[in-house]
């Protein structure tokens, strides 16, 4: 992302690695050097209210600058993408941007679901920021299961209006970013009722606040939902309706319509609205890679600076990076950064190809894409969250400090396990597709990610120390697990359980099968990517990429040795070979570890970590960060005279 | 803990379970009903500085009340224990108590390491709170490896004083609770130099601040370290010395002494100072159980209230507790609560027995106790932290909210993985003892926790569906892993590596071996405890305890199937039996799930969770908590007129 190329003697890896990872240039300095975009006091010291106010200040300034760049013809949507979804935005607004959803959800929904006339009415206003919108779908009582939403939009043909209403407390919208006090409009998802019939959920544009005074409009009950594990300046809000009336043409009608007399005209294909959901999950795989990179840089650089304990008596304390247990915490996560990055790139390309097909009416590949996006989102976000936490713990006590930026990074990455489809729910969706394909294998050959299912179970996979073997063994294991889960499902049905109960009772095995399928795809794509690079990069870089691939593969294998021993021909003694292979790779990667994380090329301002800076001045930075605490501005805090002194001086 | 017995129709388990878990009564109402001990605004909305000031206010009041109770003859140390280490303290001061270390570390160290004369001088003052102390050991550069501490205490025989000095920035004390702005004294651990020689680390009493004005004394550089993932009102501080002089008799000399002329007189046994360290780890196993109970109650009750999605079409949305994948997230953690509780109780008894032996000069059992405390601390805190996080994620988006109290609970429980001995370091310490015992097996028979090592490897363990089999298989696996790691260690030495390098290169396997050993002890103690209870409880309660034991055991087995397949006679088809056994247990435990967590008997005030209250009014509470946000006190935040309106109205 930065054009700056950083070089240092302790860095050994060919800088080509940069170019394999990030491609588009971006004027980071224009933002990061602006003193107005820095906070006088680190945000963590402010009150919740002050955090929000500071975030609004910065967000307005940030978008002014993006628009300025655009007006000057310097970059277009890419700038928005980096500021909104990239790491630059999170460096400037580390605890969330209260206007993000205006760009990420409000405008795209108007574009995707509005008619041409509606787009003409709304998009210019939204694009000029004359109105600030958000996207209100999730409710207090319902998240991933959107069919269960309770907010009602009832059509009244007499006035040609919809009446929005929250029949229960659980019908209140809950979570939308910027909804609390920032947005004055929202796209609201509600159950559409017309002519006495419910037609399921549909999107409506609703004005929430007066465009001049910002006061909530009559019937709008609105506020913020309170503090959270992270994202405390995103201004997540709640929203209740007390019979709020909106004009008929405020329903977004690109897909379905309600005519003036109340007649409902159905969408030609419900699969078309699928698109955005898949798109977001595709992006999340990339985000998982980015967060894991951030934590990997911080923990690896810190491990090169921190010296502790003794390997040998009477020798100086070694870098903790030289402890093999520490390498085991760091290096597999570095390998995962590459794995998730390549999987994200591949998924993005696949998504684009299939989206192109959709436009020509070809829908055949959509279910596989959906199943793949579900499982990759679930596996990559779960692993990235666990990885970030492992890396945080690998930094010991200092990883617990806000100044390390590891706690906030964890707060952001773990949220991804829940939003945009809870991970267990997503794994079960992939499992449903896998079982369907398994039960009717004739189609499996046509599906790139699943064709292995046709042959894997009968293929001999004698052990050898190679990535190819790991892939074959993972495929056989995934197939074996799907087969076994499917048999257990059928057995339960044969014993008289309904298919639904049998499905629920088999769900632990189904989730596990889907997970192995996901890991299989990730190792395969890593393998394919490295094969593709080999002719294009130096021999040295090729070797390092191969080591990372092997490390990812052998670690994936060692995570499921129990399954391998059940479903493949592997033997106990082979596991010992895998363990030795892993240990060899850790020692091969050791000299390049710092260079590898440098190649992720995140600027110090983006890392925002006292432990992770490029210059390695860990202790000076930790100390300087502590000096910023407002408590340290005065030698004696007022609580001494107020409470502590009376306590000390009292006769107890 | 509460005397109140809660009963409800939806609760099925025999209330006897309460008495198996907590034993001592405590006047919770005296504290929890005091309006002065409540905060007007939930702490999370305050600034960092305000959080500290509010914590000092409450802490002083809390201890006044404890002392009042004591003066009235109502309970003694038990009250302190509950307020300081129990859940009551964390209900009143959820983000930490800035005076805790005065009672938990300062006074005990004076008692444990001061001479009779020193105790006479200091303890009365400390006990009356005429002085407030803390314990300053960890430095910016060194934590678990205490031999590496850099703070120097150099004896000057001319003035009969010690000169305390921080030769580097990394020598600054860093982390002690209350050190920032609360304490005016500290026990400081420093490298003792006298007559030109370093004698290693020793404890010194140092005055930090003026007893009247609270101003830092000359040469004392002091402040707080800044924000952290949790415990933001514990006032963790830093402390540097610029040649600070203290009288000779401020060195705590119970064990070692420096005579007026500077002669160093060595401690008779260094093992005696071991005691406190082991004690704290023993207590942490109990704490791990307590935090996991808290999260289990919250997540289980919420799962009984939350309805979502559909198992069967056209049927109402089920409680999410009926999804088998949800049960799989909750019930093994409930079983772990019992497992850790019983392990903690057993370890506590063992600790007390061995401490009694110590007083008669019997030191033989100390190394085994040390190894056991290390591994149980590491396994229980790691599992509890992972468990709390899994339970938080099992509550979906609402688990991300501060009002659920799950984020703070995680912040507190994960810290235990690092403090009082970093978990990987502790596992390696246990591994060191295990390998020593393995290499010289003659002594193994005498060690209750390790005698299995003498025979496990040669014992046949044909598969059967029983806890006894799981224990035998775990023992054989632990022995197999220790044996294999030991062989790899020897092979590396035979190939020319130094023992230390070979140890480092084998450390992944060593850690893994120690971990299985720890799990073996936990399952064994769970088994022994349930066997002991069987004759004392009703048949129904006995059945439930047996189910929990089985669930813990089968889950422990399924977590290491790869190891079982390597080191025991288990076959792939047996794993399928284990999986079915697990599923049967989940369905058996389902009707009692809510009753089981009720039996942990934590009051709503202790849980402090909108999701976990006894009455199940989840949504009302979430909504009411949101109303407490100061942002919701006014319909339009000032940032609208300051920033948002100018942004909206600008011609962009």
């Amino acid at each position: 992302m930065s054009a700056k190329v950083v070089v240092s003697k302790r860095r050994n890896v060919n800088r080509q690695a940069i170019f394999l990872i990030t491609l588009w240039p971006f004027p980071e300095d224009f933002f990061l050097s602006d003193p107005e975009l820095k906070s006088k006091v680190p945000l963590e010291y402010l009150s919740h209210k002050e955090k929000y106010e500071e975030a609004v200040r910065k967000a307005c300034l940030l978008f002014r600058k993006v628009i300025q760049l655009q007006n000057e013809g310097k970059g277009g949507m890419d700038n928005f993408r980096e500021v909104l979804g990239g790491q630059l935005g999170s460096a400037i607004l580390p605890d969330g941007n209260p206007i993000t959803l205006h760009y990420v959800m409000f405008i795209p929904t108007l574009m995707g679901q509005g008619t041409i006339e509606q787009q003409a009415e709304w998009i210019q206003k939204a694009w000029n920021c004359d109105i600030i919108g958000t996207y209100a779908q999730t409710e207090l009582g319902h998240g991933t299961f959107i069919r269960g939403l309770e907010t009602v939009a009832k059509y009244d043909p007499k006035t040609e209006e919809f009446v929005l209403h929250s029949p229960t407390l659980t019908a209140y919208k809950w979570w939308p970013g910027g909804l609390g006090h920032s947005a004055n409009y929202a796209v609201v998802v509600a159950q559409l009722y017309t002519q006495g019939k419910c037609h399921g959920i549909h999107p409506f544009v609703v004005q929430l606040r007066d465009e001049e005074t910002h006061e909530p409009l009559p019937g709008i009950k609105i506020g913020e939902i309170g503090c959270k594990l992270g994202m405390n300046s995103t201004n997540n809000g709640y929203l209740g309706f007390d019979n709020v009336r909106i004009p008929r043409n405020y329903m977004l009608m690109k897909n379905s319509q309600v005519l003036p007399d109340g007649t409902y005209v159905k969408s030609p294909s419900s699969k078309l609205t699928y698109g955005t959901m898949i798109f977001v999950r595709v992006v999340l795989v990339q985000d998982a890679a980015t967060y894991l990179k951030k934590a990997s840089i911080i923990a690896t650089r810190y491990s090169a600076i921190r010296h502790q304990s003794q390997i040998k008596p009477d020798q100086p304390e070694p870098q903790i990076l030289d402890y093999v247990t520490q390498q085991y915490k760091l290096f597999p996560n570095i390998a995962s950064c590459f794995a998730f990055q390549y999987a994200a790139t591949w998924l993005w390309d696949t998504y684009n190809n299939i989206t192109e097909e959709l436009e020509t009416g070809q829908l055949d590949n959509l279910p596989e894409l959906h199943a793949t996006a579900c499982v990759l989102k679930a596996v990559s976000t779960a692993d990235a969250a666990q990885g970030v936490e492992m890396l945080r713990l690998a930094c010991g006590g200092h990883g617990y400090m806000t100044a390390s930026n590891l706690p906030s990074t964890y707060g952001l990455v773990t949220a991804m396990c829940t939003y945009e489809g809870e991970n267990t729910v997503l794994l079960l969706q992939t499992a449903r597709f896998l079982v369907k394909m398994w039960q009717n294998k004739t189609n499996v050959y046509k599906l790139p990610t699943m064709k292995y299912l046709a042959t894997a179970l009968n293929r001999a996979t004698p052990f050898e120390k190679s990535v190819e073997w790991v892939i074959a063994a993972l495929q056989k294991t995934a197939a074996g697990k799907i087969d076994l889960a499917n048999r257990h499902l059928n057995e339960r049905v044969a014993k008289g359980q309904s298919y639904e109960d049998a499905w629920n009772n088999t769900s632990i095995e189904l989730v596990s099968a889907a997970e192995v399928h996901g890991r299989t795809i990730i190792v395969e794509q890593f393998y394919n990517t490295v094969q593709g690079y080999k002719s294009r990069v130096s021999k040295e870089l090729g070797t390092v990429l191969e080591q990372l691939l092997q490390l990812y593969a052998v670690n994936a294998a060692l995570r499921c040795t129990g399954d391998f021993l059940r479903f493949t021909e592997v033997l106990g003694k082979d596991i010992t070979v895998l363990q030795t292979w892993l240990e060899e790779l850790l020692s091969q990667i050791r000299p390049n570890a710092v260079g590898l994380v440098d190649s992720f090329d995140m600027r110090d301002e983006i890392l925002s970590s006292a432990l992770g800076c490029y210059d390695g001045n860990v202790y000076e930075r930790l100390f300087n960060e502590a000096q910023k605490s407002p408590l340290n501005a005065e030698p004696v805090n007022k609580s001494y005279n107020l409470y502590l002194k009376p306590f000390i001086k009292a006769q107890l």
Side-chain angles (χ1 to χ4, degrees), chain A:
Chain A
M1 303 177 186
S2 161
K4 181 176 146 231
V5 173
V6 281
V7 187
S8 154
K9 280 182 197 156
R10 61 179 178 136
R11 273 68 174 178
N12 305 329
V13 160
N14 194 311
R15 303 293 307 174
Q16 280 178 269
I18 298 171
F19 305 107
L20 300 181
I21 292 170
T22 56
L23 288 166
W24 30 292
F26 177 75
E28 286 179 325
D29 268 326
F30 180 65
F31 294 92
L32 294 174
S33 308
D34 187 339
E36 289 295 308
L37 281 179
K38 295 190 169 80
S39 292
K40 280 172 197 71
V41 175
L43 291 180
E44 61 262 31
Y45 295 111
L46 305 182
S47 74
H48 183 67
K49 190 157 168 278
E50 290 164 341
K51 279 179 195 167
Y52 169 66
E53 289 157 3
E54 174 68 358
V56 174
R57 184 187 74 77
K58 281 189 181 173
C60 291
L61 186 57
L62 187 65
F63 288 118
R64 277 176 190 263
K65 289 178 77 94
V66 176
I67 293 162
Q68 182 193 332
L69 274 183
Q70 203 172 30
N71 290 346
E72 291 171 5
K74 295 174 189 157
M77 283 307 289
D78 274 3
N79 293 336
F80 274 100
R81 209 187 299 155
E82 178 64 7
V83 165
L84 292 162
Q87 288 298 307
L88 184 106
S90 84
I92 290 167
L93 286 149
D95 221 14
N97 183 332
I99 317 182
T100 294
L101 254 60
H102 175 68
Y103 290 103
V104 175
M105 291 295 296
F106 185 65
I107 294 179
T109 308
L110 294 175
M111 288 167 75
Q113 310 215 29
T115 61
I116 302 289
E117 299 74 28
Q118 288 176 322
Q119 295 192 27
E121 180 176 356
W122 296 109
I123 290 180
Q124 194 57 36
K125 275 190 199 171
W127 199 242
N128 287 347
C129 296
D130 297 334
I131 60 174
I132 303 287
T134 182
Y135 181 83
Q137 177 177 298
T138 298
E139 295 173 357
L140 196 42
H142 286 90
T144 299
F145 181 66
I146 55 177
R147 276 187 292 146
L149 295 175
E150 295 177 85
T151 302
V152 168
K154 196 171 171 184
Y155 186 65
D156 177 357
K158 284 195 286 266
T159 59
E160 297 190 12
E161 288 172 320
F162 290 101
V163 185
L164 278 109
H165 192 63
S166 312
T168 60
L169 179 62
T170 48
Y172 270 58
K173 297 296 172 189
W174 192 270
W175 279 113
L179 176 62
H181 300 83
S182 317
N184 53 13
Y185 277 78
V187 168
V188 173
V189 178
Q191 300 286 357
L192 166 64
Y193 283 82
T194 179
Q195 297 179 335
K197 210 182 142 193
C198 179
H199 295 277
I201 54 171
H202 288 72
F204 302 83
V205 178
V206 184
Q207 184 177 353
L208 309 175
R209 290 172 177 272
D210 184 275
E211 286 185 32
E212 283 300 318
T213 65
H214 212 57
E215 290 284 341
L217 295 185
I220 299 286
K221 291 170 281 184
I222 197 165
E224 73 128 1
I225 63 171
C227 287
K228 295 141 290 171
L229 173 53
M231 300 194 279
N232 278 301
S233 56
T234 48
N235 197 226
N236 301 88
Y238 67 81
L239 171 62
F241 299 101
D242 182 9
N243 293 300
V244 172
R245 289 182 166 259
I246 56 169
R248 183 183 66 89
N249 64 0
Y250 278 35
M251 171 174 151
L252 293 175
M253 300 210 202
K254 183 173 172 186
N255 298 315
S256 305
Q257 296 172 50
V258 173
L259 304 181
D261 68 349
T263 305
Y264 179 72
V265 184
K266 213 183 157 183
S267 161
S269 166
S270 65
K271 283 193 182 165
L272 288 173
T273 52
Y274 238 15
T276 325
M277 208 166 64
I278 298 180
F279 169 76
V280 179
R281 288 171 194 164
V282 170
V283 170
L284 289 185
V285 181
Q286 172 66 62
D287 287 355
T290 307
Y291 284 120
L292 193 57
K293 283 180 201 171
K294 202 176 200 173
S296 297
I297 300 171
I298 297 169
T300 305
R301 288 184 179 164
Y302 175 68
S303 301
I305 300 301
R306 178 82 169 175
H307 289 69
Q308 200 75 181
S309 200
Q310 292 170 309
I311 292 177
K312 296 183 193 180
D314 307 319
Q315 289 205 356
E317 299 180 50
Q319 293 166 292
I320 58 173
L321 197 49
D322 285 328
Y323 289 99
V324 174
T325 47
Q326 186 75 354
Q327 294 170 5
Y328 186 44
K329 291 173 191 177
L330 303 181
F331 301 170
N333 279 308
I334 296 177
S336 294
C337 293
F338 286 81
F340 297 158
Q341 179 63 54
Y342 297 146
T345 305
W346 167 81
L347 184 61
W348 177 244
D349 293 343
T350 307
Y351 170 79
N352 282 322
N353 292 340
I354 293 175
T355 309
E356 265 179 45
E357 290 174 11
L358 286 184
E359 279 161 23
T360 67
Q362 237 276 61
L363 301 176
D364 294 2
N365 292 318
L366 201 56
E368 186 195 14
L369 174 63
H370 173 68
T372 309
C374 285
V375 75
L376 290 186
K377 184 270 187 188
V379 170
S380 66
T381 57
D383 282 6
Q386 275 193 12
V388 168
E389 192 59 355
M390 186 186 290
L391 293 162
R392 186 185 67 70
L393 286 163
C395 295
H398 295 328
Y400 197 72
M401 298 207 60
T402 307
S404 74
N405 202 19
L406 291 168
S408 329
T409 304
Y410 182 67
L412 295 171
V413 73
T414 186
M416 297 202 295
C417 298
T418 305
Y419 63 61
E420 298 299 337
E422 193 278 329
N423 279 353
T424 303
V425 175
L426 294 189
L427 289 171
L428 283 168
Q429 290 188 10
T430 303
R432 200 170 286 280
F433 189 67
L434 285 169
V435 167
K436 196 171 156 192
M437 291 303 103
W438 188 257
Q439 289 173 347
N440 180 7
K441 259 181 270 190
T442 49
N443 284 319
V444 158
Y445 276 109
K446 296 179 202 153
L447 305 174
T449 60
M450 294 183 187
K451 59 183 172 200
Y452 72 87
L453 292 177
T455 53
L457 219 50
N458 301 318
R459 223 174 108 195
T461 55
F463 178 74
E464 56 178 62
K465 190 179 142 184
S466 75
V467 175
E468 290 84 352
W469 174 81
V470 173
I471 293 173
L474 280 169
Q475 288 176 338
K476 194 163 185 173
T477 301
K481 296 195 89 149
I482 296 162
D483 176 53
L484 191 62
N486 183 53
R487 273 190 281 142
H488 289 160
L489 189 60
N490 293 337
E491 280 167 24
R492 288 186 164 108
V493 171
K495 280 184 195 155
Q497 292 184 19
S498 70
Y499 189 81
E500 293 82 5
D501 283 332
W503 179 268
N504 185 29
N505 289 329
T506 315
S507 56
I508 298 173
E509 287 186 280
L510 288 162
V511 162
S512 173
E515 199 185 317
V516 178
H517 170 68
R519 290 190 199 287
T520 307
I521 296 176
I522 295 171
V523 183
E524 261 188 288
Q525 291 313 323
F526 198 163
Y527 177 82
N528 293 342
T529 307
V530 171
Q531 298 314 307
Y533 281 145
K534 274 193 176 160
S535 59
R536 291 159 47 201
V537 301
S538 68
K539 187 166 156 282
E540 291 76 8
L541 181 55
T543 302
V544 175
L545 288 171
E546 177 66 32
Q547 287 164 354
L548 290 165
L549 166 63
Q550 288 185 25
L551 180 60
Y552 188 80
V554 71
N555 202 46
L558 282 166
R559 281 175 74 156
C560 61
T561 50
D563 288 332
F564 273 20
L565 286 162
R566 280 172 87 185
F567 295 108
T568 78
E569 300 91 319
V570 87
L571 301 171
K573 66 183 169 57
D574 304 330
I575 307 296
T576 307
V577 177
L578 290 175
Q579 178 67 30
T580 308
W581 189 13
L582 170 87
E583 288 163 358
E584 287 164 5
L585 287 163
L586 295 180
S587 110
Q588 286 162 12
I589 290 169
R590 168 66 186 89
N592 290 324
V594 174
L596 280 167
V597 298
D598 284 354
S599 83
F600 297 153
D601 203 26
M602 285 194 195
R603 287 169 61 130
D604 284 349
E605 298 96 324
I606 305 271
L607 292 171
S608 309
S609 169
L611 305 186
C613 283
Y614 186 77
D615 63 14
N617 289 334
V618 167
Y619 299 110
E620 291 82 349
R621 283 177 200 278
L622 275 172
F623 192 76
N624 292 340
E625 285 302 313
Q627 301 315 309
K628 297 178 186 165
S629 167
L631 265 174
N632 290 333
E634 42 196 13
V636 179
N637 178 266
K638 67 177 180 189
S639 62
Y640 174 70
N641 284 303
L642 281 173
Y643 315 118
L644 210 49
K645 192 172 179 181
F647 176 64
I648 288 176
K649 301 299 174 189
Q651 292 298 324
L652 297 170

